Amino acid sequence: MGLQRTDSRTVPRWDRRTTDLLAHSARVTDRGAQLATAEFADWLAERGRENAFGVRRIDFAELKGWNFHRPTGNLVHQSGRFFTVGGLRVRTSAGSFPEWHQPIIRQPEVGILGILAKEIDGVLHFLMQAKMEPGNPNLLQLSPTVQATRSNYTRVHRGAPVRYVQYFAGPRQGRILADVLQSEHGSWFYRKYNRNMIVETRDEVPPHPDFCWLTLGQLYELLHRDNTVNMDSRTVLSSLPSLAEPPDDRLALTPDAKVLSWLTEHRSTHDSTIEMVPLTGLPGWRRTAREITREDGRFFDVVAVAVEAGNREVPSWSQPLIEPHGEGVSAFLLHEFDGVPHVLAHARMEGGLPLVVEVAPTVQCVPANHPEDMRPRYLDEVLAAPPARVRYSAVHAEEGGRFRNAVSRYLLVEADDALAAEPLPPGYAWLSARQLERLTSAGLSTNVQARTLLACLRSVARSS
Amino acid sequence: MGLQRTDSRTVPRWDRRTTDLLAHSARVTDRGAQLATAEFADWLAERGRENAFGVRRIDFAELKGWNFHRPTGNLVHQSGRFFTVGGLRVRTSAGSFPEWHQPIIRQPEVGILGILAKEIDGVLHFLMQAKMEPGNPNLLQLSPTVQATRSNYTRVHRGAPVRYVQYFAGPRQGRILADVLQSEHGSWFYRKYNRNMIVETRDEVPPHPDFCWLTLGQLYELLHRDNTVNMDSRTVLSSLPSLAEPPDDRLALTPDAKVLSWLTEHRSTHDSTIEMVPLTGLPGWRRTAREITREDGRFFDVVAVAVEAGNREVPSWSQPLIEPHGEGVSAFLLHEFDGVPHVLAHARMEGGLPLVVEVAPTVQCVPANHPEDMRPRYLDEVLAAPPARVRYSAVHAEEGGRFRNAVSRYLLVEADDALAAEPLPPGYAWLSARQLERLTSAGLSTNVQARTLLACLRSVARSS
């Protein structure tokens, strides 16, 4: 083009070293630089003993610093920060329900979910934290190195600084392996997304007893255990670069241009009006001293808890949480077409998603919410699959800082040839695993349940 | 992974044929199947003569079907459809202004901007329309095959159906070349995005005198003429797949992971509260019988026009338009590093953008809005460049259906070695042209001015 030339300054756009490091780390499953995988449960239990904490349900009136704002009735923090529980009204031509109202969490800030990585003895390790979250059924789970709202790391609550946050915010030290915006739960958050980061450092990283260096292989082992790897860790892991090799990365049932078109179409052709409304007078919902709940008892409540903990940035606090009714099911049907693994994806509308529709698992529901004659598509196929077809099954909790006992069974289930040959209902498409990875790497395209399942899929693929 | 296998059904994820067809079409510059490039101006002028129309400024009181809603003072259509002019309040830690208020257009629906493509005599042609838009300085410009809001194609205004829309909406005929969501002007639209589509058909397409088949090479020639290819055409063209070959596509100053990180960082680290507010009482703005204007006369007005036209879906109407004060400048500085062309990109915050920050040109402003001591960065470098360094220069109008006389000079200017070696101010980064293309293909990452310049860059690259 006749432009000016300067001394050589360009670099390859994609770095083979990262892929190699990740692939090698994924193969190291039994023992990392800090501990053997068999020792992990004891290490986590020890962290629990060292950090005393307790969580109990309280009345809204016992919340400290939180009030129902007049006249909206929204549940707000007196600082104006953290988050607000307000109302949402959804009117849409997508799905079976043309209009509904629900409480929703509004938190208009972008948090950081960051995992620090470092090569130790030639193997890439990831610094994970034993972190108490009040909504987790077992309280203590494995979180990213940093899991910080802007309120956290700008120290609105005047607590201790967030440990290791300097690797992720401000002038950073280290090499970016992933850094992408990803949505949170579209059913419970209003247009919320976080920054998912993985940063590799060569620095000496000061140790801390609540943190542990683990290989990718160890993390994939732990991902097979119930309620161990928290949601934030799972979504950050899903943002890792792909390790796919040909032919996985070259062939698919559908060209990439058509996959993007499929998502674009579902993002374009619904007619939706989605608005925040006051919590007071929200149709179908009522507030008692202890909860905000639907008159028919379905879906979820808003509740309040008091927390006492030793290893948090502040020693004790109280807060609202969303508590769903019943265990969920999130599942991808899998099938290999011409040797290339595919997942059956669903273009799903959720009222709170930033772009309203994202790629979701084949099945994503709380079965108890659905009467027998309105079972979600593919739920029965997934639950009735013979054990030999279940490639992955574990129970995981959603974000324990906002949701209480929000657990789902995450499943990867092989579809048989007959099911894989069936015509698909509207909104469903077979994507290759690599296409799911690519959409995830782009950000704001795959929902948090699909991202958890992508991390699980990698943990399975590694071992086969 | 042990999944089931079926008969061969997979296809390549990327299609070499598309790239070859596009590259070939880009080389055909002088004559297409329908007309020679030299005949185009006459053809367009003839379409203007065949379709009588006139546009005149009117008082708001003369608008038909539009009213100032009480108590908000928002300018709304009585059907509740089309669009609304309301107020926007922006509070942000990004940029030089911590708070401002402005009128803004709200239109919560996704429109279709679609170009139909077809191989004619072995060359891919694109079906373009001579379309009158009331805000265009010369009224008639070249638009995509289909340029339809949902109100248009669901026929809210009870006009004729949108011609050729069946290739883009509903069960489609043809092959998707591009289909991606792209933002509109973040300074004038509230969270508006459209579906940008290019669809290839093999059908016999019924001709219409207002439509013309042109090669990509012809379109690139026309892109060098002032006020000829409209904004919607430019953004759809920018969404075409890349034609880049090595080494352009393998090397860059910055790896892709870091480019995405740069955008993610700028999307995450500002603290912004952006809310629709009533137009009545909007600080700094006042309403007269003929316009809504800033008390200091800067930036833009909201005005009203009456339109009479022959080739529109309805024969006459009136509507509000936004009319900026003064001609804008949108420019990329270019530089070739190690033979790989790069653009100097700016991560720019605009109050109305769906994700608040997108990749923008090096310079994007209306110079008259800026006092001498607050000249935008790089504006002087761009305007003072010697002619030999100006690789592209033409005046284009923004969306003539919403903006009146909103023209900017679009420039591609080579940065000399000294400028290219300078440290960059915060928010600026050199991206390779291929990286700009890749962000554009992903959607909702590059703003409409950057996308116009990407189409211009391709039109220049083709000819060198």
Side-chain angles (χ1 to χ4, degrees), chain B residues 315-329:
Chain B
S316 77
W317 75 95
S318 60
Q319 67 167 88
L321 290 169
I322 281 182
E323 179 158 15
H325 296 174
E327 185 173 297
V329 173

Side-chain angles (χ1 to χ4, degrees), chain B residues 5 22 78 96 112-113 147 177 201 234 255 330 378 380 402 404 428 436 460:
Chain B
R5 282 157 201 280
L22 289 171
Q78 63 192 17
S96 328
I112 291 179
L113 308 178
Q147 182 175 315
L177 303 188
T201 185
R234 302 192 304 267
S330 288
Y378 297 113
D380 292 327
R402 298 288 176 272
R404 185 163 193 261
Y428 293 82
L436 183 69
V460 171

Side-chain angles (χ1 to χ4, degrees), chain A residues 349-362:
Chain A
M349 187 269 191
E350 299 183 89
L353 289 175
L355 298 170
V356 188
V357 172
E358 289 186 352
V359 175
T362 321

Side-chain angles (χ1 to χ4, degrees), chain A residues 27-94:
Chain A
R27 284 190 298 269
V28 178
T29 57
D30 288 352
R31 173 173 292 277
Q34 184 164 340
L35 51 73
T37 312
E39 298 163 347
F40 175 80
D42 287 345
W43 176 83
L44 190 65
E46 172 65 17
R47 296 331 304 151
R49 283 190 297 274
E50 285 293 314
N51 297 281
F53 48 75
V55 176
R56 61 187 170 87
R57 277 284 304 274
I58 57 174
D59 286 357
F60 290 125
E62 296 172 74
L63 280 168
K64 290 195 176 62
W66 293 84
N67 296 292
F68 288 103
H69 173 261
R70 287 164 202 256
T72 62
N74 291 347
L75 189 49
V76 300
H77 193 262
Q78 65 191 16
S79 67
R81 301 295 293 264
F82 300 115
F83 62 93
T84 298
V85 183
L88 190 76
R89 184 183 62 205
V90 180
R91 290 176 175 153
T92 180
S93 63

Side-chain angles (χ1 to χ4, degrees), chain B residues 36 55 80 82-83 94 116 130 159 205 220 231 243 265 296 308 337 385-386 405 407 416 424:
Chain B
V55 176
F82 300 116
F83 61 92
L116 189 63
V205 178
Y220 285 155
M231 187 209 79
L243 303 180
E265 178 174 7
D296 65 5
E308 291 192 12
F337 295 93
N405 297 328
V407 292
D416 61 23
L424 296 175

Side-chain angles (χ1 to χ4, degrees), chain B residues 138-448:
Chain B
N138 53 349
L139 299 184
L140 198 67
Q141 295 195 4
L142 207 51
S143 89
T145 319
V146 166
Q147 182 175 315
T149 63
R150 175 175 294 271
S151 306
N152 277 149
Y153 68 81
T154 58
R155 303 177 64 184
V156 172
H157 54 23
R158 300 184 180 77
V162 177
R163 205 175 298 277
Y164 304 119
V165 75
Q166 71 272 19
Y167 293 102
F168 303 94
R172 278 192 303 279
Q173 311 158 20
R175 201 165 64 94
I176 299 288
L177 303 188
D179 185 0
V180 61
L181 298 179
Q182 300 288 12
S183 63
E184 289 228 23
H185 295 73
S187 297
W188 297 330
F189 268 116
Y190 181 69
R191 298 181 46 75
K192 175 89 172 84
Y193 45 87
N194 286 318
R195 191 173 175 191
N196 284 228
M197 302 180 76
I198 304 176
V199 173
E200 184 193 354
T201 185
R202 290 172 186 262
D203 292 358
E204 277 300 310
V205 178
H208 183 280
D210 288 332
F211 289 76
C212 180
W213 290 104
L214 295 166
T215 69
L216 191 53
Q218 289 184 297
L219 284 168
Y220 285 155
E221 287 293 318
L222 298 177
L223 211 47
H224 284 72
R225 303 185 187 177
D226 289 353
N227 287 316
T228 303
V229 180
N230 85 352
M231 187 209 79
D232 294 327
S233 301
R234 302 192 304 267
T235 176
V236 177
L237 288 175
S238 79
S239 305
L240 274 172
S242 170
L243 303 180
E245 302 280 342
D248 275 18
D249 66 346
R250 302 246 178 273
L251 296 171
L253 269 192
T254 309
D256 281 24
K258 212 167 163 187
V259 167
L260 181 58
S261 177
W262 168 76
L263 179 58
T264 301
E265 178 174 7
H266 286 281
R267 285 179 158 175
S268 305
T269 50
H270 64 91
D271 221 342
S272 300
T273 307
I274 298 167
E275 286 177 301
M276 295 289 297
V277 296
L279 201 50
T280 291
L282 197 68
W285 294 79
R286 65 191 165 84
R287 191 176 105 198
T288 71
R290 272 179 94 73
E291 64 216 1
I292 300 166
T293 190
R294 258 174 74 104
E295 286 157 5
D296 65 5
R298 288 167 73 202
F299 300 117
F300 65 86
D301 296 339
V302 180
V303 302
V305 296
V307 183
E308 291 192 12
N311 71 342
R312 273 298 282 239
E313 296 84 356
V314 288
S316 77
W317 75 95
S318 60
Q319 67 167 88
L321 290 169
I322 281 182
E323 179 158 15
H325 296 174
E327 185 173 297
V329 173
S330 288
F332 267 128
L333 283 172
L334 310 178
H335 196 77
E336 209 167 84
F337 295 93
D338 298 342
V340 179
H342 282 65
V343 300
L344 183 54
H346 181 209
R348 181 182 169 94
M349 187 269 191
E350 299 181 281
L353 289 176
L355 299 169
V356 189
V357 172
E358 289 187 353
V359 174
T362 322
V363 173
Q364 178 187 319
C365 67
V366 174
N369 285 330
H370 300 271
E372 277 303 315
D373 58 340
M374 287 184 68
R375 299 276 283 182
R377 189 73 186 92
Y378 297 113
L379 174 61
D380 292 327
E381 285 86 340
V382 160
L383 294 183
R389 291 200 174 275
V390 178
R391 298 282 318 203
Y392 177 93
S393 175
V395 171
H396 296 298
E398 309 307 319
E399 161 66 81
R402 298 288 176 272
F403 313 127
R404 185 163 193 261
N405 297 328
V407 292
S408 290
R409 181 159 293 279
Y410 280 88
L411 292 162
L412 296 171
V413 174
E414 288 176 33
D416 61 23
D417 288 355
L419 188 56
E422 277 181 14
L424 296 175
Y428 293 82
W430 287 103
L431 311 186
S432 76
R434 183 65 194 97
Q435 289 173 326
L436 183 69
E437 287 183 326
R438 190 183 183 204
L439 286 169
T440 301
S441 302
L444 296 181
S445 301
T446 50
N447 78 356
V448 64

